[in-house]
Amino acid sequence: MADATVMERIVSLCKRRGFIFPGSEIYGGLTGTWDYGPLGVELLRNVKNAWWHDNVTSRDDIVGLDSAILMHRTVWQASGHESNFTDPLVECKTCKARFRQDQVPESQCPRKPSKHPGEFGDCQLTEARKFNLMFKTFVGPVEDSATQVYLRPETAQGIFVNFRNVVDSSRMKVPFGIAQVGKSFRNEITPKQFIFRSREFEQMEIEFFCKPETSQQWYATWRDQRFKWYQDLGLKSSNLRLREHDKEELAFYSIGTSDVEYKFPWGWGELEGIAHRGDYDLKQHMQHSGKDLSYFNEETRERFVPHVIEPSAGATRSVLAFLCEAYTEDQAPNDKGEMETRTVLRFHPRLAPVKAAIFPLVKKDGMPERATALYKDLQKHFHVFYDEKGAVGRRYRRQDEAGTPFCITIDGQTAADQTVTLRERDSMKQERVAMDQVKGYLMERLGA
Ligand code: GAP
């Protein structure tokens, strides 16, 4: 299947099955915004929960934070975003289209899509100018420069400005990290590739504070751990790579940066950046706020400004990688025994929006009652789904498309021997399991 077709099919499945819808769709849409439907919100939540569990609650050296999206304007002056968080923008004076200068070679001329901008007839591209990606807004009723603030373009700065608060209020000692998951906003010149580059998205970030002399070791450790996280959740090694930035690509304050990249249907794209930020951010905020953000080690009686390793991942972008990895089509027999194309989302069980679907084979002979009782019991432990409409083969297909790992059917035999048919999504293998063993079976197989 051509790669463009794969992406089109994924986008179409996401819309059809309620994973992801275009933002503000009934008003013609708002470019760069996306709404997560009933299945999408579960998938996104599962990605964030897996990240939070693996990086925060299952570790002793990381604590969480949820800081405000609106922050004092000086935060962004101190961080460098107000002057440097820009992309080079070029405009076509003829058709008024705008492009990121570095993306012109891969963009299409709107009037002649077979050509790149600037290559067709009377295209008139301007010189590049710096375009700041932060969204502006105002606090309070007066709109002037004194009340202007920005929607945060990253969650990281909320962590730096709370470093002192966390140290003073918790028992955390360097080395330790602060983690945050939340919305970020960037006025991207060209949002593209579905949810890959959006104007509103979610990040999952850690700022890990350590002694300067241990920072290289922590940088290497975090790079490896973060790479492995994606593998553990089902991204194939052949679709993942760790790419170290060369000197020219590094931000001016960065001592080293590596990107975890995923092979999307259109090519390699960044999922997460792991950056060695040195003491740049804490020192900038010390200078601009006048507050002491150094750390005092009680045991060694040393005072120092910690160095920071920052694993910064995109939650929504990870959702896209997990969707691309999970999407498969195979051939399977339908209810009449004819082979047909089956679309399956082979999600890792931790990420699957629905963990199991429960069906009565037919709507009679006490099957709906037994199936409902099992559904209600399982619902206390897992996100499960009940469906009694249509042929059972069709119901299986619908769950395959939703990525549900198991389907449980209550049939004629259930009344006789208290067993159910349990069908596994990927292999489509069916086995009979005692009804009172289903919960334990799911617990074990789902890793719950
Ligand atoms: N604090 C560092 C920072 O924000 P970044 O490389 O600009 O670094 C981190 O962003 C991650 O956030 C990226 O690897 C990507 O996964 C995600 N991200 C960035 N811009 C995005 C956008 N416009 N849409 C979706 N995800 C985005």
Side-chain angles (χ1 to χ4, degrees):
M1 217 189 307
D3 293 342
T5 320
V6 177
M7 232 11 248
E8 279 160 23
R9 290 187 188 192
I10 292 172
V11 175
S12 148
L13 172 71
C14 283
K15 172 92 199 295
R16 185 161 42 84
R17 292 309 313 273
F19 280 92
I20 299 166
F21 310 121
S24 311
E25 197 185 9
I26 62 166
Y27 291 104
L30 181 65
T31 309
T33 66
W34 298 93
D35 297 340
Y36 288 71
L39 289 176
V41 71
E42 298 293 337
L43 175 60
L44 176 59
R45 192 168 291 240
N46 290 343
V47 169
K48 292 187 287 182
N49 285 348
W51 185 91
W52 194 263
H53 172 270
D54 298 345
N55 291 288
V56 185
T57 49
S58 69
R59 295 179 65 122
D60 301 324
D61 57 353
I62 312 256
V63 287
L65 178 81
D66 192 0
S67 68
I69 286 173
L70 297 175
M71 299 176 78
H72 200 289
R73 185 172 174 183
T74 320
V75 170
W76 307 109
Q77 289 163 346
S79 68
H81 282 80
E82 194 170 82
S83 41
N84 297 325
F85 196 57
T86 57
D87 272 343
L89 169 75
V90 294
E91 239 168 306
C92 176
K93 284 190 189 159
T94 313
C95 72
K96 309 290 177 229
R98 291 170 175 178
F99 309 94
R100 229 172 81 176
Q101 189 190 30
D102 55 317
Q103 289 174 356
V104 165
E106 68 209 51
S107 304
Q108 293 175 326
C109 168
R111 296 192 307 152
K112 182 82 174 166
S114 60
K115 303 247 179 217
H116 300 303
E119 288 178 356
F120 175 57
D122 45 8
C123 287
Q124 283 189 79
L125 291 191
T126 60
E127 289 293 306
R129 70 176 167 89
K130 284 183 174 182
F131 173 74
N132 196 294
L133 299 185
M134 288 195 291
F135 279 101
K136 285 181 195 145
T137 188
F138 301 90
V139 283
V142 181
E143 296 193 2
D144 63 17
S145 62
T147 61
Q148 188 201 300
V149 292
Y150 300 105
L151 299 188
R152 68 181 179 201
E154 61 172 23
T155 66
Q157 297 305 321
I159 298 179
F160 293 122
V161 302
N162 279 291
F163 173 70
R164 176 90 281 136
N165 282 337
V166 174
V167 170
D168 290 349
S169 61
S170 69
R171 299 238 162 101
M172 300 312 285
K173 289 194 164 35
V174 167
F176 81 96
I178 305 177
Q180 165 149 243
V181 174
K183 292 257 184 179
S184 292
F185 303 82
R186 297 183 188 179
N187 198 3
E188 300 282 359
I189 297 170
T190 45
K192 60 175 193 176
Q193 310 290 23
F194 194 27
I195 55 171
F196 179 82
R197 178 170 294 120
S198 339
R199 293 192 167 126
E200 176 176 339
F201 55 98
E202 283 198 72
Q203 290 185 308
M204 310 182 287
E205 299 199 289
I206 298 168
E207 306 303 326
F208 193 82
F209 302 94
C210 58
K211 283 169 83 167
E213 55 274 29
T214 62
S215 60
Q216 285 299 350
Q217 184 54 46
W218 279 112
Y219 174 54
T221 303
W222 274 111
R223 254 183 347 202
D224 297 346
Q225 285 183 6
R226 292 303 308 142
F227 189 79
K228 187 167 175 295
W229 188 77
Y230 294 100
Q231 288 177 315
D232 290 348
L233 285 174
L235 300 190
K236 277 197 280 304
S237 304
S238 53
N239 287 339
L240 276 174
R241 70 180 184 196
L242 198 57
R243 192 181 62 81
E244 182 93 35
H245 286 206
D246 51 34
K247 283 238 155 43
E248 296 77 67
E249 213 183 332
L250 286 179
F252 65 94
Y253 53 79
S254 177
I255 296 167
T257 298
S258 299
D259 288 344
V260 178
E261 294 187 336
Y262 179 72
K263 202 179 190 181
F264 288 95
W266 65 86
W268 291 97
E270 177 190 332
L271 276 185
E272 167 161 355
I274 298 104
H276 186 322
R277 300 179 67 107
D279 56 11
Y280 172 77
D281 303 271
L282 288 178
K283 282 209 169 139
Q284 284 295 106
H285 287 302
M286 284 168 80
Q287 196 189 324
H288 283 77
S289 68
K291 300 284 183 310
D292 180 13
L293 301 180
S294 64
Y295 175 80
F296 183 66
N297 184 328
E298 305 272 355
E299 281 148 35
T300 60
R301 315 299 297 165
E302 285 173 282
R303 180 170 288 284
F304 60 96
V305 177
H307 276 205
V308 172
I309 310 303
E310 177 195 66
S312 170
T316 42
R317 199 174 276 187
S318 300
V319 161
L320 182 57
F322 290 122
L323 275 166
C324 291
E325 185 80 33
Y327 186 90
T328 39
E329 291 178 9
D330 59 20
Q331 294 295 311
N334 63 18
D335 283 327
K336 294 181 201 134
E338 299 153 352
M339 294 306 271
E340 64 174 20
T341 302
R342 178 178 84 120
T343 302
V344 196
L345 287 178
R346 294 171 187 255
F347 289 127
H348 187 284
R350 286 180 80 191
L351 302 184
V354 176
K355 306 302 181 194
I358 295 99
F359 311 145
L361 183 62
V362 287
K363 280 194 266 179
K364 58 181 187 182
D365 302 333
M367 291 182 210
E369 291 75 10
R370 273 185 212 100
T372 308
L374 179 64
Y375 166 69
K376 287 282 162 204
D377 189 33
L378 294 176
Q379 198 179 32
K380 294 178 201 147
H381 309 278
F382 315 99
H383 186 213
V384 286
F385 181 76
Y386 178 81
D387 189 8
E388 57 178 28
K389 290 192 200 83
V392 74
R394 288 274 144 240
R395 283 181 265 167
Y396 283 148
R397 290 289 185 280
R398 276 186 67 76
Q399 293 309 314
D400 291 339
E401 275 192 342
T404 306
F406 298 103
C407 290
I408 299 156
T409 305
I410 279 68
D411 51 26
Q413 203 180 317
T414 308
D417 65 5
Q418 306 301 309
T419 63
V420 295
T421 301
L422 207 143
R423 172 198 184 260
E424 199 267 333
R425 176 194 66 201
D426 299 348
S427 63
M428 294 187 287
K429 280 208 183 102
Q430 302 192 1
E431 57 182 308
R432 291 211 74 86
V433 175
M435 202 135 117
D436 60 5
Q437 303 288 310
V438 170
K439 187 174 90 194
Y441 181 102
L442 290 183
M443 290 255 175
E444 195 187 315
R445 301 288 295 274
L446 296 168

